[in-house]
Structure formats: structure tokens, C-alpha cells
Amino acid sequence: MRHANVIILTDETEFARLLTAGWQAERQAPRVTVLTSDLWPEQEAPARDLVVVGPVREGGLTSVLRALDPLTAVILCVPADSKELGQLRAKYPRLIHVPLREDWAQTLLLVAGESLRRTEAVRLARQAERAAAKNENHATLGRYMLDMKHSVNNALTSMLGNAELLLLEPGQLSSQSLAQIKTIHSMALRINEVMQRFSSLASEMLEAENTSQAETEGATAQASQRH
Amino acid sequence: MEQLAADVHLFSLDKYGESAAVHKKVLIVDDSPAEVKLIQGLLEREGYWPVGLNDPKRVEEAIAHEHPSVILLDIVMPGRNGYQVCRDLKGNAEFNSIPVIMVTTKDSVSDKFWGQQQGADGYVTKPFTREELIRAVRRFA
């Protein structure tokens, strides 16, 4: 799994310290950025997979969440009796609330781990969807090329065969006609060679693509196992 | 005359003895009248008696009527493909002794393998030269 980016947004230093220490004890720690609500950018927030919002100054939660993309995963860790919590939950359905009580750090780390895994799974699913769409395009092109190859080879059979039939009785043809039929025959053979080269190229491309796909799948499987 | 890379595969010969040489009638099954006419022209020059058929659904009827020594069978045909025809013929005790040569544009290894699996006795890839076609037919008739 790639390194996830987590922002801890709080005005309480101890909250950020405990959470960061908890993550450092984990097998795989995300990249953590700690910000206070004063530093929270109104326009351009740093790249993140998860935002953990801890205790902030009175009335600060609403302005912080307003600046976030509604699709961003957010874990809110504030007391269950926070005044703003009820309103925020109605407005941000994806908001996860971890009550700020004695065991909050362990609970938050567990929830955050699951949230990051979900984000990673969604990312991989989108990647797979893009790859599937690309493969589908290749498959359509391949089917079209096969169809064309069939038609071209049928036409070539007729050209070559009929030219050969005419060349079997050269006495009935003028020298000019004979030369022209020989040219037609020779050119048809050349087209056939080109078609065979295309077939070889298509096979090589398919082989290279399969190898590349196997490597990608292997890397993804290894990343999942590490996780 | 310039040669194409030979792409003629004969899967079996032993089971057809000298009896096949008695008749030299060749049934050509191909949905393209131009292909049938071409193959007829090539075979006639070699002393064969070619009979063309454009409708693959009527192969059994044509065999019963014409009693060919060998069948040249296209694969890509509407309604009933060459693999199906070959499988049906080889599963029919009345017709399974007649050699079947696939004559087709399908040139991959898997296509040839599948043809062999259906019981085909030979495989000629289009485009073919006159020599290639005649050589394949001569093995059986």
C-alpha cells in the first residue's frame, strides 16, 4: 500500500502528540501533518486521505469542515455533548464521530486504520476499472482487426488463386497481360507478407501486455499481503 | 511461381487406405461463391470432380447425394460453422470415414488445434497457393 496522508487538525497539542505516538507504534504509519485551526487553509488544503479533527477553539468545527471537500474522509474526535456535533452530523453524512473519552486514542487508531484501508480499496478499484476499460478498448480493436484480417485473407485467396489460374495458361494471354497478371500475383503475395507481419506484431503486443499485467497484479497482491 | 510460406497441416492419413483414390469427387463447402468457384477451377485442372456447396446446413444432404472422396470445409460460415460441421460429420457413422480438410483464414495455433479436436484430417490456411491446396487434397484422393 502506498503511504497514506493524514491531517490532524486540533488546537490541543496533547491530542496531536498522543495520536502521533500511537501511529508511530503501528506497523505501517501514515504521513501525518498536524495543523491548528488557525492554520487550516481556507482555499487549498494539503493532499490527504483522512482528516482527524480533534478539539478546536469554540465554534471552529463548522468553519474547518466547510473548507473540506465533502468526499474527504473525516473522523471527528470531540466530546459527545459538543454543541456543534448534532448539526454537523446532519450536514456531513460521511463524518465519523469518536467520542473523546478515556480510550479515545485506541478507538481512533482502529477507525482511522479501517478508513485508510477503505480509501486504498476504493483507489485500487478505480485503478482496476480504468484498466478494465482500457482492456475493453483493446479487445474491441482486436476483434475488429481479426474481422478485417479474415476479409483481407479471403480477398487475397481469390486474387492469388485466380491469378494462378490465368498464369497456368499463358498462351492465351498477350505478353502485356501476362506481365500485368504476374504483377498482381506478386503484389498479392506482398500484401500477404504484410498481413503475416501484422499478425506477429499483434501476438508480440499481446504477450507484452499480459506480462505487464501479471507484474502489476503481482505488485498489488504483494502490497495487500504486506498490509 | 513464387511460393507462400507453406501452411498445410495433415493430421492423419493411416485410416484412409487406397479406397479413397477410387473416387475423385471433392465437396467444397464455403459460403463464398467466389471461393468455391476458384477452388473448383484449381481442382478441375488436376482431374478432380469438384462439387460446390454454399449452404453448410446441407452438407449431409450433399454428401449423401454426391459421395465425395474428400471434403474441403471453410470454418467461418453463417448458420453453421466449419467446426460444427466437422464435429457432426465425425460423429456420424455414415460419414465419418470421409476425410475433412479445413480451408480457412483462421491461422492461429489454437484454431488448428481446435480443428484437429473436431476430427479434421487436414488444415490449409487461406491464402493458399495452388500447390498447397492440391498437395493437401492429393493426400486423401
Side-chain angles (χ1 to χ4, degrees), chain A residues 149-150 154 164 168-169 192, chain B residues 4 35 45 105 107 130:
Chain A
K149 187 180 154 197
H150 172 71
N154 266 338
E164 284 188 14
L168 285 171
E169 292 174 3
N192 182 52
Chain B
L4 282 176
E35 297 281 318
R45 292 190 60 87
T105 58
D107 61 354
R130 185 179 62 91

Side-chain angles (χ1 to χ4, degrees), chain A residues 16-102:
Chain A
R17 193 189 66 75
L18 279 171
L19 196 53
T20 310
W23 249 314
Q24 279 169 352
E26 294 282 309
R27 194 152 54 101
Q28 193 169 21
R31 290 196 188 94
V32 177
T33 307
V34 181
L35 294 173
T36 62
S37 62
D38 294 338
L39 293 174
W40 179 248
E42 294 268 330
Q43 298 300 319
E44 282 188 35
R48 70 275 174 181
D49 299 299
L50 172 68
V51 177
V52 178
V53 183
V56 292
R57 62 184 160 73
E58 186 69 25
L61 280 177
T62 308
S63 62
V64 161
L65 292 173
R66 199 185 298 133
L68 280 171
D69 178 347
L71 295 176
T72 304
V74 179
I75 300 176
L76 194 57
C77 189
V78 292
D81 58 354
S82 166
K83 289 177 191 170
E84 292 171 278
L85 185 60
Q87 295 171 344
L88 291 172
R89 276 180 138 170
K91 201 168 179 181
Y92 300 95
R94 289 194 61 195
L95 193 69
I96 301 167
H97 176 231
V98 174
L100 192 61
R101 56 187 184 205
E102 199 178 332

Side-chain angles (χ1 to χ4, degrees), chain B residues 102-123:
Chain B
M102 298 287 200
V103 183
T104 176
T105 58
K106 294 176 78 69
D107 61 354
S108 72
V109 174
S110 59
D111 292 328
K112 288 166 194 164
F113 175 76
W114 191 238
Q116 190 176 11
Q117 290 298 104
Q118 306 314 310
D121 302 280
Y123 202 101

